[in-house]
Amino acid sequence: MPLGSDNWFRLGTESNFVYYRKQEMYDLPFETLGLDLSMFMAAAAQFGGPLALIRHPRKFVTGGVDMSPKLRIFTSSGERLAEIPWEKRGIVDIGWSDEENAVVVLEDGSCILYNLHGELLHTVSVTLGEDDRVVDCKFWPSGLVMMTDSLKFYAVTNYSEHRVLSLPDPMLMARPHCMAVISPAYTL
C-alpha cells in the first residue's frame, strides 16, 4: 500500500530544502494527432499558458503525417485553439508576449503577432542592413532581442507600440555560443 508521501521529493541542501511533488494532470494528445514534437519548434506561454508549434524548417520530414507548414496553437492541456497555414520562409524562433499573443520572428527582421484564435494582430518590422538577416532571438514578456549574422543587436521593447531599438555594438568577433536576456523590468 503506497504511503501518502511517496510522490513527494526533497529539493535543496541539508539546511535549506523544500519538498515538492509532480502530479500528472492529463496526457497531451500530440501523439494521437500524429505530431512528433521533435520535428517542431515549440514555445510555451508563461504560467502554464498556451503552446505554439510550427514545423522546424531545418528538419526533414518523411512519412504520411500531415506536416504541412502550419502554426498550431494549443491550450496547455493540448486542445487545439488555432491552426494557421504558413507560407512565409525563414523562421528564426517563436515565443509569446505577456498578453498571450504568439510571436513569430523571421530572418528578415519581421515579428508577426497572432492572438490565441490565430488571427493576425500586426507585424513589427526591424530594418536590417543589406544582406543582413536575423540568426537568433530571445524573448521577454513584452519584447525581444534579435541578433543578426553581422553581430548587430536589435530590441523590440514593446510589441503594441512598435518600439524598436538598435543596441550598442558589443564588438564581438564571432557569434556567441549562447545568449540570454534580462527583462528590462529587472534592470536599472
Side-chain angles (χ1 to χ4, degrees):
M1 176 174 199
L3 297 173
S5 62
D6 279 352
N7 61 349
W8 286 85
F9 302 95
R10 185 176 170 158
L11 178 67
T13 62
E14 285 295 321
S15 62
N16 186 17
F17 62 89
V18 294
Y19 285 99
Y20 75 96
R21 68 179 173 170
K22 181 177 125 181
Q23 288 183 305
E24 190 167 318
M25 304 302 280
Y26 35 71
D27 292 326
L28 294 177
F30 298 118
E31 285 184 20
T32 58
L33 293 173
L35 300 175
D36 177 6
L37 292 183
S38 68
M39 303 304 287
F40 285 83
M41 297 173 94
Q46 54 185 345
F47 309 120
L51 306 170
L53 299 173
I54 194 161
R55 190 175 63 77
H56 199 292
R58 293 179 186 89
K59 293 192 178 180
F60 183 70
V61 180
T62 60
V65 178
D66 176 23
M67 293 294 281
S68 58
K70 295 176 187 168
L71 175 63
R72 295 171 168 99
I73 299 174
F74 295 91
T75 64
S76 57
S77 62
E79 180 184 332
R80 185 176 309 184
L81 293 173
E83 194 169 87
I84 306 148
W86 195 259
E87 298 174 5
K88 296 173 179 51
R89 296 196 178 269
I91 298 173
V92 176
D93 206 353
I94 57 176
W96 289 91
S97 72
D98 56 356
E99 296 168 344
E100 290 194 347
N101 295 321
V103 182
V104 181
V105 178
L106 302 178
E107 289 177 345
D108 67 1
S110 301
C111 303
I112 307 168
L113 281 83
Y114 294 92
N115 69 12
L116 288 174
H117 307 291
E119 298 163 349
L120 175 66
L121 296 175
H122 59 270
T123 300
V124 179
S125 295
V126 176
T127 305
L128 304 176
E130 194 172 321
D131 297 329
D132 209 2
R133 64 185 179 91
V134 176
V135 293
D136 196 7
C137 68
K138 297 297 175 202
F139 297 89
W140 75 81
S142 63
L144 63 91
V145 170
M146 55 179 68
M147 178 179 66
T148 67
D149 58 0
S150 64
L151 304 177
K152 292 183 179 161
F153 291 84
Y154 298 91
V156 176
T157 59
N158 190 311
Y159 296 119
S160 58
E161 295 177 12
H162 300 247
R163 236 184 291 160
V164 178
L165 294 174
S166 177
L167 299 177
D169 185 1
M171 294 186 242
L172 298 172
M173 298 299 162
R175 188 181 297 176
H177 295 285
C178 64
M179 184 169 86
V181 173
I182 299 172
S183 174
Y186 302 111
T187 60
L188 293 176

Coordinates of all heavy atoms in Angstrom, one line a residue, residues 10-100:
R10 N 12.5 15.7 -2.1 CA 13.2 16.7 -1.4 C 14.1 17.5 -2.4 O 14.8 16.8 -3.1 CB 14.0 16.1 -0.3 CG 14.7 17.1 0.6 CD 15.4 16.3 1.7 NE 16.2 17.2 2.4 CZ 16.6 17.0 3.7 NH1 16.2 15.9 4.3 NH2 17.4 17.9 4.3
L11 N 14.1 18.8 -2.3 CA 14.9 19.6 -3.2 C 15.7 20.6 -2.3 O 15.1 21.3 -1.5 CB 14.1 20.4 -4.2 CG 14.8 21.3 -5.1 CD1 15.6 20.5 -6.1 CD2 13.8 22.1 -5.9
G12 N 17.1 20.6 -2.5 CA 17.9 21.6 -1.7 C 19.0 20.9 -0.9 O 19.2 19.7 -1.1
T13 N 19.6 21.6 -0.1 CA 20.7 21.1 0.8 C 20.1 20.7 2.1 O 18.9 20.9 2.4 CB 21.7 22.2 1.0 OG1 21.1 23.3 1.7 CG2 22.3 22.7 -0.3
E14 N 21.0 20.2 3.0 CA 20.5 19.7 4.3 C 19.9 20.8 5.1 O 18.9 20.6 5.9 CB 21.7 19.1 5.1 CG 22.1 17.7 4.6 CD 21.0 16.7 4.8 OE1 20.4 16.7 5.9 OE2 20.8 15.9 3.9
S15 N 20.5 22.0 5.0 CA 20.0 23.2 5.9 C 18.9 24.0 5.2 O 18.2 24.8 5.8 CB 21.1 24.0 6.3 OG 21.7 24.6 5.2
N16 N 18.8 23.9 3.9 CA 17.9 24.7 3.1 C 17.2 23.8 2.1 O 17.7 23.6 1.0 CB 18.6 25.9 2.5 CG 17.7 26.9 1.8 OD1 16.5 26.9 2.1 ND2 18.2 27.7 0.9
F17 N 16.0 23.4 2.4 CA 15.3 22.5 1.4 C 13.8 22.7 1.4 O 13.3 23.3 2.4 CB 15.6 21.0 1.7 CG 15.2 20.6 3.1 CD1 13.9 20.1 3.3 CD2 16.0 20.6 4.2 CE1 13.5 19.6 4.5 CE2 15.6 20.2 5.4 CZ 14.3 19.7 5.6
V18 N 13.2 22.2 0.4 CA 11.7 22.2 0.3 C 11.3 20.8 -0.2 O 12.1 20.1 -0.8 CB 11.2 23.3 -0.6 CG1 11.4 24.7 0.0 CG2 11.7 23.2 -2.0
Y19 N 10.1 20.5 -0.1 CA 9.5 19.3 -0.7 C 8.6 19.7 -1.8 O 7.9 20.7 -1.7 CB 8.7 18.5 0.3 CG 9.6 17.8 1.3 CD1 9.9 18.3 2.6 CD2 10.2 16.5 1.0 CE1 10.7 17.6 3.5 CE2 11.0 15.9 1.9 CZ 11.3 16.4 3.1 OH 12.1 15.8 4.0
Y20 N 8.6 18.9 -2.8 CA 7.7 19.2 -4.0 C 7.2 17.8 -4.5 O 7.7 16.8 -4.2 CB 8.4 19.9 -5.1 CG 9.4 19.1 -5.9 CD1 9.0 18.5 -7.1 CD2 10.7 18.9 -5.5 CE1 9.8 17.8 -7.8 CE2 11.5 18.1 -6.2 CZ 11.1 17.6 -7.4 OH 12.0 16.8 -8.1
R21 N 6.1 17.9 -5.2 CA 5.6 16.7 -5.9 C 5.2 17.1 -7.3 O 4.8 18.2 -7.6 CB 4.5 16.1 -5.1 CG 3.2 16.9 -5.1 CD 2.2 16.1 -4.4 NE 1.0 17.0 -4.2 CZ -0.1 16.5 -3.8 NH1 -0.3 15.3 -3.4 NH2 -1.2 17.4 -3.7
K22 N 5.3 16.1 -8.1 CA 4.9 16.3 -9.5 C 3.7 15.4 -9.8 O 3.7 14.2 -9.5 CB 6.0 15.9 -10.5 CG 5.8 16.0 -11.9 CD 7.0 15.6 -12.7 CE 6.6 14.6 -13.7 NZ 7.7 14.1 -14.5
Q23 N 2.6 16.0 -10.2 CA 1.4 15.3 -10.5 C 1.1 15.4 -12.0 O 1.1 16.5 -12.5 CB 0.2 15.9 -9.7 CG 0.3 15.5 -8.2 CD -1.0 16.0 -7.5 OE1 -1.3 17.2 -7.6 NE2 -1.7 15.2 -6.9
E24 N 0.8 14.3 -12.6 CA 0.4 14.4 -14.0 C -1.1 14.7 -14.0 O -1.9 13.9 -13.5 CB 0.7 13.0 -14.7 CG 0.5 13.1 -16.2 CD 1.0 11.9 -16.9 OE1 2.1 11.5 -16.5 OE2 0.4 11.4 -17.8
M25 N -1.4 15.8 -14.7 CA -2.8 16.2 -14.7 C -3.6 15.6 -15.8 O -4.8 15.3 -15.7 CB -2.9 17.8 -14.8 CG -2.1 18.5 -13.7 SD -2.7 18.1 -12.0 CE -4.1 19.0 -11.9
Y26 N -3.0 15.5 -17.0 CA -3.6 14.9 -18.1 C -2.5 14.5 -19.2 O -1.4 15.0 -19.1 CB -4.6 15.8 -18.8 CG -4.2 17.3 -18.7 CD1 -3.1 17.8 -19.5 CD2 -4.8 18.2 -17.9 CE1 -2.8 19.1 -19.4 CE2 -4.5 19.5 -17.8 CZ -3.4 20.0 -18.5 OH -3.0 21.3 -18.4
D27 N -2.9 13.7 -20.1 CA -2.0 13.3 -21.2 C -2.1 14.3 -22.3 O -3.3 14.6 -22.7 CB -2.3 11.9 -21.7 CG -1.9 10.8 -20.6 OD1 -1.0 11.0 -19.9 OD2 -2.7 9.8 -20.6
L28 N -1.0 14.7 -22.9 CA -1.1 15.6 -24.0 C -1.4 14.7 -25.3 O -0.8 13.7 -25.5 CB 0.2 16.4 -24.2 CG 0.4 17.4 -23.0 CD1 1.7 18.1 -23.2 CD2 -0.8 18.4 -23.0
P29 N -2.2 15.2 -26.2 CA -2.7 14.3 -27.3 C -1.8 14.4 -28.6 O -2.3 14.1 -29.6 CB -4.1 14.9 -27.6 CG -3.9 16.4 -27.3 CD -3.0 16.4 -26.1
F30 N -0.6 14.9 -28.5 CA 0.2 15.2 -29.7 C 0.5 13.9 -30.5 O 0.5 13.9 -31.7 CB 1.5 15.9 -29.4 CG 1.2 17.3 -28.8 CD1 1.6 17.6 -27.5 CD2 0.5 18.2 -29.5 CE1 1.4 18.8 -27.0 CE2 0.2 19.4 -28.9 CZ 0.6 19.8 -27.7
E31 N 0.7 12.8 -29.8 CA 1.0 11.5 -30.5 C -0.3 11.0 -31.2 O -0.2 10.6 -32.3 CB 1.4 10.4 -29.5 CG 2.9 10.6 -29.1 CD 3.4 9.5 -28.2 OE1 2.7 8.4 -28.2 OE2 4.4 9.7 -27.5
T32 N -1.5 11.2 -30.6 CA -2.7 10.8 -31.2 C -3.0 11.7 -32.4 O -3.7 11.3 -33.3 CB -3.9 10.8 -30.2 OG1 -4.0 12.1 -29.7 CG2 -3.7 9.7 -29.1
L33 N -2.5 12.9 -32.4 CA -2.7 13.8 -33.5 C -1.7 13.6 -34.6 O -1.8 14.2 -35.7 CB -2.6 15.3 -33.1 CG -3.7 15.8 -32.1 CD1 -3.4 17.2 -31.6 CD2 -5.1 15.8 -32.8
G34 N -0.8 12.7 -34.4 CA 0.3 12.4 -35.4 C 1.4 13.4 -35.4 O 2.0 13.6 -36.4
L35 N 1.6 14.2 -34.3 CA 2.6 15.2 -34.3 C 3.8 14.7 -33.5 O 3.7 14.5 -32.3 CB 2.0 16.5 -33.6 CG 0.8 17.1 -34.3 CD1 0.3 18.3 -33.5 CD2 1.2 17.5 -35.7
D36 N 4.9 14.6 -34.1 CA 6.2 14.2 -33.5 C 6.8 15.5 -33.0 O 7.3 16.3 -33.9 CB 7.1 13.5 -34.5 CG 8.4 13.1 -33.9 OD1 8.7 13.4 -32.7 OD2 9.3 12.6 -34.6
L37 N 6.8 15.8 -31.8 CA 7.3 17.1 -31.3 C 8.7 17.4 -31.6 O 9.2 18.5 -31.6 CB 7.0 17.2 -29.8 CG 5.5 17.3 -29.4 CD1 5.4 17.5 -27.9 CD2 4.8 18.4 -30.1
S38 N 9.5 16.3 -31.8 CA 10.9 16.6 -32.1 C 11.1 17.2 -33.5 O 12.2 17.7 -33.8 CB 11.7 15.3 -32.1 OG 11.3 14.4 -33.2
M39 N 10.1 17.3 -34.3 CA 10.1 17.9 -35.6 C 9.6 19.3 -35.6 O 9.5 19.9 -36.6 CB 9.3 17.1 -36.6 CG 9.8 15.6 -36.7 SD 11.5 15.4 -37.1 CE 11.5 15.9 -38.8
F40 N 9.3 19.9 -34.4 CA 8.7 21.2 -34.3 C 9.5 22.2 -33.5 O 10.3 21.8 -32.6 CB 7.3 21.1 -33.6 CG 6.3 20.5 -34.5 CD1 6.1 19.1 -34.6 CD2 5.4 21.3 -35.2 CE1 5.2 18.6 -35.5 CE2 4.4 20.8 -36.0 CZ 4.3 19.4 -36.1
M41 N 9.4 23.4 -33.8 CA 9.8 24.5 -32.9 C 8.6 24.7 -32.0 O 7.4 24.7 -32.5 CB 10.1 25.8 -33.7 CG 11.2 25.7 -34.6 SD 11.3 27.2 -35.6 CE 12.6 28.0 -34.7
A42 N 8.8 24.8 -30.7 CA 7.7 24.9 -29.7 C 8.0 26.0 -28.8 O 9.1 26.3 -28.4 CB 7.5 23.6 -29.0
A43 N 6.9 26.7 -28.3 CA 7.0 27.7 -27.3 C 5.8 27.6 -26.4 O 4.7 27.5 -26.9 CB 7.1 29.1 -28.0
A44 N 6.1 27.7 -25.1 CA 5.0 27.7 -24.1 C 4.9 29.1 -23.5 O 5.9 29.7 -23.1 CB 5.3 26.6 -23.1
A45 N 3.7 29.6 -23.4 CA 3.5 30.9 -22.7 C 3.7 30.7 -21.2 O 3.7 29.6 -20.7 CB 2.1 31.4 -23.0
Q46 N 4.0 31.8 -20.6 CA 4.3 31.7 -19.2 C 3.1 31.3 -18.3 O 1.9 31.4 -18.8 CB 4.9 33.0 -18.7 CG 4.1 34.2 -19.0 CD 4.9 35.5 -18.5 OE1 5.9 35.4 -17.8 NE2 4.4 36.6 -19.0
F47 N 3.3 30.8 -17.1 CA 2.3 30.5 -16.2 C 1.3 29.4 -16.7 O 0.1 29.4 -16.4 CB 1.5 31.7 -15.7 CG 2.4 32.8 -15.3 CD1 2.3 34.1 -15.9 CD2 3.3 32.7 -14.2 CE1 3.1 35.1 -15.5 CE2 4.1 33.7 -13.8 CZ 4.0 35.0 -14.5
G48 N 1.9 28.4 -17.4 CA 1.1 27.3 -17.8 C 0.1 27.7 -18.9 O -1.0 27.1 -19.1
G49 N 0.4 28.7 -19.7 CA -0.4 29.2 -20.8 C -0.4 28.3 -22.0 O 0.1 27.1 -22.0
P50 N -0.8 28.8 -23.1 CA -0.9 28.0 -24.4 C 0.4 27.6 -25.0 O 1.5 28.2 -24.6 CB -1.7 28.9 -25.3 CG -1.5 30.3 -24.8 CD -1.3 30.2 -23.3
L51 N 0.4 26.7 -25.9 CA 1.6 26.2 -26.6 C 1.5 26.6 -28.1 O 0.4 26.6 -28.7 CB 1.7 24.7 -26.6 CG 1.7 24.1 -25.2 CD1 1.5 22.6 -25.3 CD2 2.9 24.4 -24.4
A52 N 2.6 27.0 -28.7 CA 2.6 27.3 -30.1 C 3.6 26.3 -30.7 O 4.7 26.1 -30.2 CB 3.1 28.7 -30.4
L53 N 3.2 25.7 -31.8 CA 4.1 24.8 -32.6 C 4.1 25.1 -34.0 O 3.1 25.5 -34.6 CB 3.5 23.3 -32.5 CG 3.4 22.7 -31.1 CD1 2.7 21.3 -31.3 CD2 4.7 22.5 -30.5
I54 N 5.3 25.0 -34.6 CA 5.4 25.1 -36.1 C 6.5 24.2 -36.5 O 7.5 24.0 -35.8 CB 5.7 26.6 -36.5 CG1 5.5 26.8 -38.0 CG2 7.1 27.1 -36.1 CD1 5.3 28.2 -38.4
R55 N 6.4 23.5 -37.6 CA 7.4 22.6 -38.1 C 8.7 23.3 -38.2 O 8.8 24.3 -38.8 CB 6.9 22.0 -39.4 CG 7.8 20.8 -39.8 CD 7.3 20.1 -41.1 NE 7.3 21.0 -42.2 CZ 8.4 21.3 -42.9 NH1 9.6 20.8 -42.6 NH2 8.4 22.0 -44.0
H56 N 9.7 22.6 -37.7 CA 11.1 23.1 -37.8 C 11.5 23.2 -39.2 O 11.5 22.2 -39.9 CB 12.0 22.3 -36.9 CG 13.3 23.0 -36.6 ND1 14.2 23.4 -37.5 CD2 13.7 23.5 -35.4 CE1 15.2 24.0 -36.9 NE2 14.9 24.1 -35.6
P57 N 12.0 24.4 -39.7 CA 12.3 24.5 -41.1 C 13.5 23.7 -41.5 O 13.7 23.5 -42.7 CB 12.5 26.0 -41.3 CG 12.8 26.5 -39.9 CD 12.1 25.6 -39.0
R58 N 14.4 23.3 -40.6 CA 15.6 22.6 -40.9 C 15.6 21.1 -40.7 O 16.6 20.5 -40.7 CB 16.8 23.3 -40.2 CG 17.0 24.7 -40.7 CD 18.2 25.4 -39.9 NE 18.3 26.8 -40.3 CZ 17.6 27.8 -39.7 NH1 16.8 27.5 -38.7 NH2 17.8 29.0 -40.1
K59 N 14.4 20.6 -40.4 CA 14.3 19.2 -40.2 C 13.5 18.5 -41.3 O 12.4 19.0 -41.6 CB 13.7 18.9 -38.8 CG 14.6 19.3 -37.7 CD 14.1 18.8 -36.4 CE 15.1 19.2 -35.3 NZ 14.7 18.8 -34.0
F60 N 14.1 17.5 -41.9 CA 13.4 16.8 -43.0 C 12.4 15.8 -42.5 O 12.6 15.1 -41.5 CB 14.5 16.1 -43.8 CG 13.9 15.4 -45.0 CD1 13.5 16.2 -46.1 CD2 13.8 14.0 -45.1 CE1 13.0 15.6 -47.2 CE2 13.3 13.4 -46.2 CZ 12.9 14.2 -47.3
V61 N 11.2 15.9 -43.1 CA 10.1 15.1 -42.6 C 9.8 14.0 -43.7 O 9.7 14.3 -44.9 CB 8.8 16.0 -42.4 CG1 7.7 15.1 -41.9 CG2 9.1 17.0 -41.4
T62 N 9.6 12.8 -43.2 CA 9.2 11.7 -44.1 C 7.9 11.1 -43.5 O 7.6 11.3 -42.4 CB 10.2 10.6 -44.2 OG1 10.5 10.1 -42.9 CG2 11.5 11.2 -44.8
G63 N 7.2 10.3 -44.3 CA 6.0 9.6 -43.8 C 4.7 10.3 -44.3 O 4.7 11.4 -44.9
G64 N 3.6 9.7 -43.9 CA 2.3 10.2 -44.3 C 1.6 11.2 -43.4 O 0.5 11.5 -43.6
V65 N 2.3 11.6 -42.3 CA 1.7 12.5 -41.4 C 1.6 13.9 -42.0 O 2.5 14.3 -42.8 CB 2.6 12.6 -40.1 CG1 2.0 13.6 -39.1 CG2 2.7 11.2 -39.5
D66 N 0.5 14.6 -41.7 CA 0.3 15.9 -42.2 C 1.3 16.9 -41.6 O 1.2 17.3 -40.4 CB -1.1 16.4 -41.9 CG -1.3 17.9 -42.4 OD1 -0.5 18.4 -43.2 OD2 -2.2 18.5 -41.9
M67 N 2.4 17.2 -42.2 CA 3.4 18.1 -41.7 C 3.5 19.3 -42.6 O 4.6 20.0 -42.6 CB 4.8 17.4 -41.7 CG 4.8 16.2 -40.7 SD 4.7 16.8 -39.0 CE 6.3 17.3 -38.7
S68 N 2.4 19.7 -43.2 CA 2.4 20.9 -44.0 C 2.7 22.1 -43.0 O 2.3 22.0 -41.9 CB 1.1 21.1 -44.7 OG 0.0 21.1 -43.8
P69 N 3.3 23.1 -43.5 CA 3.7 24.2 -42.6 C 2.4 24.9 -42.1 O 1.7 25.5 -42.9 CB 4.5 25.1 -43.5 CG 4.6 24.6 -44.8 CD 3.8 23.3 -44.9
K70 N 2.2 24.8 -40.8 CA 1.1 25.5 -40.1 C 1.6 25.9 -38.8 O 2.4 25.2 -38.1 CB 0.0 24.5 -39.9 CG -0.7 24.0 -41.2 CD -1.8 23.0 -40.8 CE -2.3 22.4 -42.1 NZ -3.1 21.2 -41.9
L71 N 1.2 27.1 -38.3 CA 1.4 27.5 -37.0 C 0.2 27.0 -36.2 O -1.0 27.3 -36.5 CB 1.4 29.0 -36.9 CG 1.5 29.6 -35.5 CD1 2.8 29.2 -34.8 CD2 1.4 31.1 -35.5
R72 N 0.5 26.1 -35.2 CA -0.6 25.5 -34.4 C -0.5 26.0 -33.0 O 0.5 26.1 -32.4 CB -0.4 24.0 -34.4 CG -0.5 23.3 -35.8 CD -0.1 21.9 -35.7 NE -0.5 21.1 -36.9 CZ 0.4 20.9 -37.9 NH1 1.6 21.3 -37.9 NH2 -0.1 20.2 -39.0
I73 N -1.7 26.4 -32.5 CA -1.8 26.9 -31.1 C -2.7 26.0 -30.3 O -3.8 25.7 -30.8 CB -2.3 28.3 -31.1 CG1 -1.4 29.3 -31.9 CG2 -2.5 28.8 -29.7 CD1 -1.9 30.7 -32.1
F74 N -2.2 25.5 -29.2 CA -3.0 24.6 -28.3 C -3.1 25.2 -26.9 O -2.2 26.0 -26.5 CB -2.2 23.3 -28.2 CG -2.1 22.5 -29.4 CD1 -1.0 22.7 -30.3 CD2 -3.0 21.6 -29.8 CE1 -0.8 22.0 -31.5 CE2 -2.9 20.8 -31.0 CZ -1.8 21.0 -31.8
T75 N -4.1 24.7 -26.2 CA -4.1 25.1 -24.7 C -3.1 24.2 -24.1 O -2.5 23.3 -24.7 CB -5.5 24.7 -24.1 OG1 -5.7 23.3 -24.2 CG2 -6.6 25.4 -24.8
S76 N -2.8 24.5 -22.8 CA -1.8 23.8 -22.1 C -2.2 22.3 -21.9 O -1.4 21.4 -21.6 CB -1.5 24.4 -20.7 OG -2.6 24.5 -20.0
S77 N -3.5 22.0 -22.0 CA -4.0 20.6 -21.9 C -4.0 19.9 -23.3 O -4.4 18.8 -23.4 CB -5.4 20.6 -21.3 OG -6.3 21.3 -22.1
G78 N -3.6 20.6 -24.4 CA -3.5 20.0 -25.7 C -4.7 20.2 -26.6 O -4.7 19.6 -27.7
E79 N -5.7 21.0 -26.2 CA -6.8 21.3 -27.0 C -6.4 22.3 -28.1 O -5.9 23.3 -27.8 CB -8.0 21.8 -26.2 CG -9.2 22.1 -27.0 CD -10.3 22.7 -26.1 OE1 -10.3 22.5 -24.9 OE2 -11.1 23.5 -26.7
R80 N -6.7 22.0 -29.4 CA -6.3 22.9 -30.5 C -7.2 24.1 -30.4 O -8.4 24.1 -30.4 CB -6.5 22.2 -31.8 CG -6.0 23.0 -33.0 CD -6.0 22.2 -34.2 NE -5.4 21.0 -34.0 CZ -5.2 20.1 -35.0 NH1 -5.6 20.3 -36.2 NH2 -4.6 18.9 -34.7
L81 N -6.5 25.3 -30.4 CA -7.2 26.6 -30.5 C -7.2 27.1 -31.9 O -8.2 27.8 -32.3 CB -6.5 27.6 -29.5 CG -6.7 27.3 -28.0 CD1 -5.8 28.2 -27.2 CD2 -8.1 27.4 -27.6
A82 N -6.1 27.0 -32.6 CA -6.0 27.6 -33.9 C -5.0 26.8 -34.7 O -4.0 26.2 -34.2 CB -5.6 29.0 -33.8
E83 N -5.1 26.9 -36.0 CA -4.2 26.3 -37.0 C -4.1 27.2 -38.2 O -5.1 27.5 -38.9 CB -4.7 24.9 -37.4 CG -3.7 24.1 -38.1 CD -4.1 22.7 -38.3 OE1 -4.8 22.4 -39.3 OE2 -3.8 21.8 -37.4
I84 N -2.9 27.8 -38.4 CA -2.8 28.9 -39.4 C -1.9 28.3 -40.5 O -0.7 28.0 -40.2 CB -2.1 30.1 -38.8 CG1 -3.0 30.6 -37.6 CG2 -2.0 31.2 -39.8 CD1 -2.1 31.2 -36.5
P85 N -2.3 28.3 -41.7 CA -1.4 27.9 -42.8 C -0.2 28.8 -42.9 O -0.4 30.0 -42.8 CB -2.3 28.0 -44.1 CG -3.7 28.0 -43.6 CD -3.7 28.5 -42.2
W86 N 1.0 28.3 -43.0 CA 2.2 29.1 -43.0 C 2.8 29.1 -44.4 O 3.2 28.0 -44.9 CB 3.1 28.6 -41.9 CG 4.2 29.6 -41.6 CD1 5.5 29.6 -42.1 CD2 4.0 30.7 -40.9 NE1 6.1 30.7 -41.6 CE2 5.3 31.4 -40.9 CE3 3.0 31.3 -40.2 CZ2 5.5 32.6 -40.2 CZ3 3.2 32.5 -39.5 CH2 4.4 33.1 -39.5
E87 N 3.0 30.3 -45.0 CA 3.6 30.4 -46.3 C 4.9 31.1 -46.3 O 5.7 31.2 -47.3 CB 2.6 31.0 -47.3 CG 1.4 30.2 -47.4 CD 0.3 30.9 -48.2 OE1 0.6 32.0 -48.8 OE2 -0.8 30.3 -48.3
K88 N 5.3 31.8 -45.2 CA 6.5 32.6 -45.1 C 7.7 31.7 -44.8 O 7.6 30.6 -44.3 CB 6.4 33.6 -44.0 CG 5.3 34.6 -44.3 CD 5.1 35.5 -43.1 CE 4.0 36.6 -43.3 NZ 2.7 36.1 -43.8
R89 N 8.9 32.1 -45.2 CA 10.1 31.4 -45.0 C 11.0 32.1 -44.1 O 10.9 33.3 -43.8 CB 10.8 31.2 -46.4 CG 10.0 30.4 -47.4 CD 10.9 29.9 -48.5 NE 10.2 29.1 -49.4 CZ 10.1 27.7 -49.3 NH1 10.7 27.1 -48.3 NH2 9.4 27.1 -50.2
G90 N 12.0 31.3 -43.6 CA 13.0 31.9 -42.7 C 12.6 32.1 -41.3 O 12.9 33.2 -40.7
I91 N 11.9 31.2 -40.7 CA 11.6 31.3 -39.2 C 12.8 31.2 -38.4 O 13.6 30.2 -38.6 CB 10.5 30.2 -38.8 CG1 9.3 30.4 -39.6 CG2 10.3 30.3 -37.4 CD1 8.3 29.3 -39.4
V92 N 13.0 32.1 -37.5 CA 14.1 32.0 -36.5 C 13.7 31.4 -35.2 O 14.3 30.5 -34.7 CB 14.7 33.5 -36.3 CG1 15.8 33.4 -35.2 CG2 15.2 34.1 -37.5
D93 N 12.5 31.9 -34.7 CA 12.0 31.3 -33.4 C 10.6 31.8 -33.2 O 10.1 32.7 -33.9 CB 12.9 31.8 -32.3 CG 12.9 30.9 -31.1 OD1 12.1 29.9 -31.1 OD2 13.6 31.1 -30.1
I94 N 9.9 31.1 -32.2 CA 8.6 31.6 -31.9 C 8.6 31.7 -30.3 O 9.4 31.1 -29.6 CB 7.5 30.5 -32.3 CG1 7.8 29.1 -31.7 CG2 7.4 30.5 -33.8 CD1 6.7 28.1 -32.0
G95 N 7.7 32.6 -29.9 CA 7.6 32.9 -28.5 C 6.2 33.5 -28.2 O 5.3 33.5 -29.0
W96 N 6.1 34.0 -26.9 CA 4.8 34.5 -26.5 C 5.0 35.9 -25.9 O 6.0 36.1 -25.2 CB 4.1 33.6 -25.5 CG 3.6 32.4 -26.1 CD1 4.3 31.2 -26.2 CD2 2.3 32.2 -26.7 NE1 3.5 30.3 -26.8 CE2 2.3 30.8 -27.1 CE3 1.2 33.0 -26.9 CZ2 1.2 30.3 -27.8 CZ3 0.1 32.5 -27.5 CH2 0.1 31.1 -28.0
S97 N 4.0 36.8 -26.0 CA 4.1 38.1 -25.3 C 3.4 37.9 -24.0 O 2.7 36.9 -23.7 CB 3.3 39.1 -26.2 OG 1.9 38.9 -26.2
D98 N 3.4 38.9 -23.1 CA 2.8 38.9 -21.9 C 1.2 39.0 -22.0 O 0.5 38.7 -21.1 CB 3.3 39.9 -20.9 CG 3.2 41.3 -21.4 OD1 2.8 41.5 -22.6 OD2 3.6 42.2 -20.7
E99 N 0.8 39.3 -23.2 CA -0.7 39.4 -23.4 C -1.2 38.1 -24.1 O -2.3 38.0 -24.6 CB -1.0 40.6 -24.3 CG -0.7 41.9 -23.7 CD -0.7 43.1 -24.6 OE1 -0.7 42.8 -25.8 OE2 -0.8 44.2 -24.1
E100 N -0.3 37.0 -24.1 CA -0.6 35.7 -24.7 C -0.9 35.8 -26.2 O -1.8 35.2 -26.7 CB -1.7 35.0 -23.9 CG -1.2 34.6 -22.5 CD -2.1 33.5 -21.8 OE1 -3.2 33.3 -22.3 OE2 -1.6 33.0 -20.9

